[in-house]
Amino acid sequence: MRYINAGDLLPEALVRELQRYVQGACLYVPVDRAQRKGWGERSGARAMLDRRNEAIRRAFRQGASLEELGAAYHLSPSAIGKIVYWK
């Protein structure tokens, strides 16, 4: 994360107001919850896992066993069972 000098970004009146609470320290401003992205949305990991899980469900419906799918996807049969039964 890159730091930004508040004096370069914020109006002078707001900087003075912030200085009433903190001076010369690093301040983290969290993302507004309404704009926050869910896990893996920014990196694409969520979409990749969704595609993988759908492929696992499709193979299971076509007759592949939990053990076969576990070996193919490097997951335990228990983890495969959670994917195919909990959707």
Side-chain angles (χ1 to χ4, degrees):
M1 179 184 307
R2 185 171 71 80
Y3 293 101
I4 301 170
N5 185 324
D8 295 340
L9 179 68
L10 303 174
E12 187 177 331
L14 181 54
V15 172
R16 280 195 307 272
E17 182 67 21
L18 286 169
Q19 287 171 332
R20 291 179 53 205
Y21 300 93
V22 63
Q23 292 186 25
C26 297
L27 179 67
Y28 174 74
V29 179
V31 174
D32 181 4
R33 288 195 184 272
Q35 296 178 2
R36 199 166 176 190
K37 294 188 183 287
W39 178 88
E41 286 182 37
R42 195 176 328 155
S43 68
R46 173 83 275 148
M48 185 272 307
L49 286 176
D50 288 343
R51 286 190 301 271
R52 181 204 67 182
N53 292 349
E54 187 51 42
I56 290 171
R57 288 185 200 98
R58 190 172 32 257
F60 183 75
R61 285 192 303 267
Q62 293 172 353
S65 71
L66 298 180
E67 290 76 15
E68 292 169 335
L69 291 169
Y73 287 94
H74 306 285
L75 296 170
S76 70
S78 174
I80 296 292
K82 290 176 185 176
I83 292 168
V84 299
Y85 294 124
W86 289 9
K87 176 84 178 184

